[in-house]
Amino acid sequence: MRVAVLRERRAAETRVAATPETVKKLQGLGCTVAVETGAGMASGIPDAAFRDAGAEVVADPAAALAGANIVLAVRAPEAAELALVPRGALLIGTLQADAEAAKAYAAAGIDACAMELLPRITRAQSMDVLSSQANLAGYRAVIEAADAFDRGFPMLMTAAGTIPAANVFIMGAGVAGLQAIATARRLGGRVSATDVRPAAKEEIKSLGASFVGYEDEESKAAQTAGGYAKQLSAEFYARQAEVVAAHIAKQDIVVTTALVQGRKAPTLVTEAMVASMKPGSVIVDIASDAGGNVALTKPGEAITTANGVKILGFSNWPGRIAGASSALYARNLLTFLTTFWDKEAKKPALKEDDEIVKGVALTRGGAVVHPSLASA
């Protein structure tokens, strides 16, 4: 089996879908690996490191994809690269596929697996790309906030006086939010957090942060079976906003992490809330790629408001810590492959009735097979 790894071409994408570590393990499965030159440079992995691991480093996508049976990607290949993927090849990545994209994969005869659709079950944890990348995004968000903040995180006592600890508020206590809480605590901040899901309150407290939020009967059912936050009523969000607004006005740093799967990110921080914050305060919007949790976020940019609040709305937060995020992402993909690897045939055997396969498979044998897309 020939595995192809391309250089990512999407805007702001710095990650790579394989590392020298995973290249060696893929060869252990009986694969040959072709890596496009420069694929790992933005993640700190030179071509020489891939060569030393046994990969063939090739000049362009056409050379990498020639005869490829498996294509590993971070993001969906662009049209020019997709046209070079051989029919019958298995494409694995975070494809963010809609009905039209799925039809295109089917028409091209590509068996596509979208890893962001992986079911949230225990058996799939080690291949969960959303969790591994969100974890690092939460960490990086706090580091970026510390860099932008004009004071320190911990209380600093000097002969000239004392600088108080930063007040840090984390909005959303999923994987990214919990890592943000832990990182802000390690840096010495005074941390509080909120989340609409009832189970999150204890998780927040277990990390040493205080819980802030409105709770009612609706919030008790605010979590899906897959562990995601549900979309709640406008009335609930209005009451939650009242509680949060009073709290945000006292904060030095706010990190927003709330995402609703398949929808635009909910607006959690209004213009009025931003206006209530002190000059020099920092807001980090991890949800910027999904439209942002902050009304004033400009996706892909860092801005300073008229009242002196910095809003960091950078794109691709995991890509801002590319070396670590690539290492984890590549292991996620490797785990997916090895879980369904037929050792005798030396190729993947994706069983159609397997819960994981049903969750991620978009197309198979020239047809759209994912339940949410097949009817469309």
Side-chain angles (χ1 to χ4, degrees):
M1 299 294 285
R2 179 177 171 87
V3 179
V5 180
L6 303 183
R7 177 171 59 83
E8 297 292 323
R9 288 169 167 78
R10 300 279 180 178
E13 189 51 75
T14 56
R15 294 169 290 174
V16 63
T19 63
E21 174 198 8
T22 63
V23 163
K24 290 179 181 178
K25 291 180 179 179
L26 287 167
Q27 291 175 100
L29 296 175
C31 299
T32 60
V33 184
V35 179
E36 184 184 357
T37 186
M41 283 302 294
S43 298
I45 307 172
D47 290 345
F50 282 116
R51 284 196 192 93
D52 291 344
E56 176 190 359
V57 178
V58 297
D60 52 40
L65 291 168
N69 306 103
I70 301 170
V71 181
L72 302 182
V74 178
R75 307 271 296 280
E78 295 186 330
E81 288 74 47
L82 197 62
L84 298 171
V85 178
R87 293 190 71 85
L90 174 63
L91 171 64
I92 307 172
T94 50
L95 306 180
Q96 301 294 333
D98 55 17
E100 288 305 311
K103 287 179 183 177
Y105 293 135
I110 297 169
D111 291 353
C113 289
M115 294 298 289
E116 72 275 12
L117 300 179
L118 195 80
R120 287 285 177 88
I121 58 176
T122 302
R123 187 168 141 253
Q125 285 180 346
S126 58
M127 57 187 88
D128 188 344
V129 297
L130 292 185
S131 290
S132 73
Q133 302 305 286
N135 195 306
L136 292 169
Y139 164 80
R140 186 68 187 188
V142 175
I143 298 303
E144 298 269 4
D147 181 61
F149 189 46
D150 57 13
R151 298 203 306 275
F153 258 66
M155 182 175 70
L156 301 171
M157 300 178 69
T158 74
T162 299
I163 297 174
N167 291 313
V168 184
F169 184 41
I170 312 299
M171 303 187 73
V175 174
L178 292 174
Q179 182 57 252
I181 292 169
T183 303
R185 288 272 297 160
R186 289 188 199 105
L187 291 177
R190 188 183 295 113
V191 185
S192 57
T194 188
D195 195 289
V196 298
R197 295 168 299 146
K201 182 175 181 178
E202 293 308 314
E203 292 177 328
I204 288 168
K205 290 183 175 180
S206 73
L207 290 173
S210 58
F211 176 78
V212 175
Y214 173 75
E215 297 175 272
D216 65 5
E217 288 300 315
E218 184 180 7
S219 67
K220 292 178 182 178
Q223 183 168 310
T224 68
Y228 297 99
K230 284 183 179 178
Q231 187 80 18
L232 300 178
S233 68
E235 291 77 14
F236 175 86
Y237 285 123
R239 290 183 177 275
Q240 173 81 345
E242 291 175 9
V243 174
V244 167
H247 191 68
I248 280 181
K250 305 170 188 175
Q251 301 306 300
D252 299 304
I253 292 166
V254 175
V255 178
T256 66
T257 71
L259 291 166
V260 178
Q261 193 177 33
R263 298 177 182 236
K264 180 188 177 298
T267 299
L268 304 181
V269 181
T270 64
E271 290 188 41
M273 293 177 189
V274 175
S276 74
M277 297 179 72
K278 303 181 292 289
S281 301
V282 178
I283 301 175
V284 182
D285 193 343
I286 294 182
S288 53
D289 285 333
N293 294 144
V294 184
L296 296 177
T297 291
K298 292 189 177 178
E301 298 182 33
I303 65 168
T304 302
T305 66
N307 63 316
V309 176
K310 299 174 185 177
I311 302 176
L312 309 185
F314 300 130
S315 297
N316 189 14
W317 280 94
R320 298 185 71 80
I321 184 170
S325 56
S326 293
L328 296 187
Y329 182 83
R331 289 175 197 159
N332 290 146
L333 298 194
L334 176 69
T335 301
F336 176 74
L337 275 175
T338 55
T339 299
F340 298 103
W341 195 259
D342 185 328
K343 293 181 180 179
E344 292 185 5
K346 293 187 177 181
K347 65 179 184 179
L350 302 181
K351 300 176 182 177
E352 297 179 20
D353 59 347
D354 186 278
E355 186 176 3
I356 293 174
V357 175
K358 286 193 290 186
V360 302
L362 299 177
T363 57
R364 184 185 302 111
V368 178
V369 296
H370 196 276
S372 66
L373 300 174
S375 59

